[in-house]
Amino acid sequence: MKPTKNHYYCPGCKYQKMLFGSKKEAIRFLKYNAEAIEEETGKRPVRAYYCCHCCGWHLTSKPNSYGRTDLIKRFGPELGQKIYEIIFLLISKGTTITGGMSRKLKELKHNLKYEVINTIRCKSLINELFDIFEVVIGAQLEDRHTIELLFSKFSYLCSVFTMKKQQAAIA
């Protein structure tokens, strides 16, 4: 059953929305009430998102959207544009953010497999991946567990890079 006490006017969306104090609370509500909301409104909420205008969490029936306009609407003109520029190259090849990140990690791994590595190329990939992780984690664009797995691979590859770089300095 859809509650009536947590409806507030959202200045960002410009209409009444349910407002939750935490992502956990919104997800729990979504889990138990999605079907009832769909019966009542015709739309089924599928995810929770943080609203920087309300400083709280809302539900939406739209799957994650990474278009420039949607990101600017969600995060404001400056931050939305920055996020779009960072993730655009990942998703422009018809893949998801996590798919693009996986591709970049494979490229880094490939560059590190040689005895003598191209340190400039590896540093460039590491810096690029670091920026991507910072944006994806900060803006909560993907599932936390998936990003944590990718980050552990990234961390391992960074340690391999450091080790190879030190070996090259000794030789």
Side-chain angles (χ1 to χ4, degrees):
M1 183 58 111
K2 197 171 171 183
T4 57
K5 292 185 179 180
N6 71 340
H7 281 253
Y8 296 95
Y9 178 78
C10 175
C13 303
K14 301 200 178 2
Y15 59 89
Q16 295 279 330
K17 293 205 100 177
M18 287 186 277
L19 182 65
F20 299 93
S22 70
K23 184 175 185 177
K24 187 177 181 180
E25 184 182 329
I27 297 289
R28 187 179 323 116
F29 178 83
L30 175 71
K31 181 179 176 181
Y32 294 108
N33 295 285
E35 198 170 298
I37 293 171
E38 184 178 25
E39 286 175 13
E40 186 178 318
T41 66
K43 293 181 180 180
R44 184 182 191 92
V46 294
R47 67 179 173 91
Y49 68 94
Y50 183 76
C51 178
C52 57
H53 300 285
C54 295
C55 298
W57 292 85
H58 296 309
L59 300 177
T60 183
S61 59
K62 296 178 183 177
N64 283 339
S65 175
Y66 306 118
R68 182 179 175 276
T69 307
D70 292 327
L71 290 171
I72 287 173
K73 185 178 177 184
R74 279 172 57 194
F75 299 103
E78 290 178 29
L79 183 57
Q81 181 65 34
K82 179 186 175 194
I83 291 169
Y84 177 74
E85 289 169 2
I86 289 173
I87 66 166
F88 174 74
L89 295 175
L90 291 175
I91 61 176
S92 65
K93 296 184 179 176
T95 186
T96 62
I97 289 176
T98 53
M101 292 171 79
S102 294
R103 191 177 64 245
K104 289 280 182 194
L105 287 167
K106 286 178 185 173
E107 186 180 344
L108 178 59
K109 184 178 179 181
H110 175 76
N111 280 282
L112 291 171
K113 77 177 184 180
Y114 300 104
E115 189 120 353
V116 177
I117 60 170
N118 180 342
T119 55
I120 294 170
R121 179 65 186 140
C122 289
K123 277 183 186 179
S124 173
L125 282 167
I126 288 170
N127 288 335
E128 187 178 351
L129 278 160
F130 185 78
D131 289 343
I132 292 166
F133 275 109
E134 186 176 39
V135 164
V136 171
I137 291 169
Q140 298 178 345
L141 296 177
E142 291 290 329
D143 175 61
R144 195 180 107 217
H145 179 69
T146 306
I147 296 302
E148 286 173 354
L149 290 173
L150 290 174
F151 192 79
S152 67
K153 291 177 185 178
F154 175 63
S155 179
Y156 170 74
L157 291 173
C158 286
S159 64
V160 170
F161 171 72
T162 303
M163 185 181 67
K164 289 204 174 219
K165 193 173 156 191
Q166 288 173 347
Q167 286 175 348
I170 293 172

